[in-house]
Amino acid sequence: MIKLGRNDACWCGSGQKYKKCHYNFDSKIEQAEREGHEVPTHDLIKTPEQIEGIRKSAAINIAVLDYVAEHIKAGVTTEEIDRWVYEQTTQRGGIPAPLNYEGFPKSVCTSINEEVCHGIPDKNIVLKDGDIINVDCSTILNGYFSDSSRMFCIGEVSEEKKKLVQVAKECLDVGLKEVKPWGFLGDMGQAINDYAMAHGYTIVRQIGGHGIGLEFHEEPWVSYVSKRGTEMMMVPGMVFTIEPMVNMGTADIYEDEDNGWTIRTEDGKPSAQWEIQVLVTEDGYEILAY
Ligand code: MF3
Ligand code: CO
């Protein structure tokens, strides 16, 4: 990184002098780095213009999931959900980010019961009474990425599955409390893991959240089994997802060998996940997509 002079134009593009803009901000980051913390590079700190672009992308993602919420029910196939997502996204000028992403064949991930994530929509998969399903949507608009997912309970769902879905949602609130500038991602990770464990659940270790905005998956990788005071420092302008996968039984998972995507719990017990996309602000956070 080139060291700017105090009177140089700030790296953020504001047009202001560095000393009047991100000088103190960078000093804080450099201090943390000297203390041995992981810190974000400048390209992970979004400008106001980029944040506005991400917000507009996120508005589509939210609308698409709202549409799914209104229409999802027993008897619907996951292929139909895929079609809704494709149509609702493109009608609003967006592109579904999963489509052709590293070869993913569909516009959305649909993960039912013991499927942890990355379920592939299929015309032969019919939602039935008692299922729980995660619908994970991601949108590209003008090059800006958004990503969020929600759980849906189909018809009469058992009390124990309902509880899992509820606690997985509460994990986001617990995590959000820890999202503030100059804190650490591990503060959030530990809070979420502690909360899930207190309810007798486990958190998937190998798959986590991610930075997002100019790419689908940016640095940092975000763990929800991390420890307070560790992992990357959170600074204003960072955008990342909170998306812990909460398992009723073991935390262990495996990948479907045939399709190379779908992740399932090792013990076949249910898993639940909600995902939001957040921006770190000067005094806390803003939820961009849910
Ligand atoms: N939406 C997922 C996430 O939260 C990524 C899915 S990648 C895909 O990161 F290719 F499977 F869509
Ligand atoms: Co994500």
Side-chain angles (χ1 to χ4, degrees), residues 26 77 207 271 278:
D26 279 353
T77 67
I207 312 175
S271 181
V278 299

Side-chain angles (χ1 to χ4, degrees), residues 50-64 89 92-97 137-148 212-215 277 288-290:
Q50 290 169 340
I51 291 165
E52 200 38 46
I54 299 168
R55 266 199 205 98
K56 290 196 176 118
S57 173
I60 295 178
N61 219 58
I62 293 165
V64 172
T89 306
R92 291 174 171 83
I95 302 165
C137 282
S138 315
T139 299
I140 315 171
L141 180 72
N142 302 324
Y144 294 109
F145 288 76
S146 54
D147 186 7
S148 56
I212 174 168
L214 310 185
E215 304 282 347
Q277 180 176 356
L288 297 173
Y290 56 86

Side-chain angles (χ1 to χ4, degrees), residues 196-213:
M197 280 176 52
H199 285 88
Y201 301 139
T202 60
I203 300 271
V204 170
R205 315 182 75 85
Q206 302 95 320
I207 312 175
H210 49 95
I212 174 168

Side-chain angles (χ1 to χ4, degrees), residues 136 138 147-148 208-210 212 216-217 241 243 273 275:
D136 191 342
S138 315
D147 186 7
S148 56
H210 49 95
I212 174 168
F216 196 171
H217 297 106
T241 65
E243 50 174 320
Q273 176 191 31
E275 174 178 19

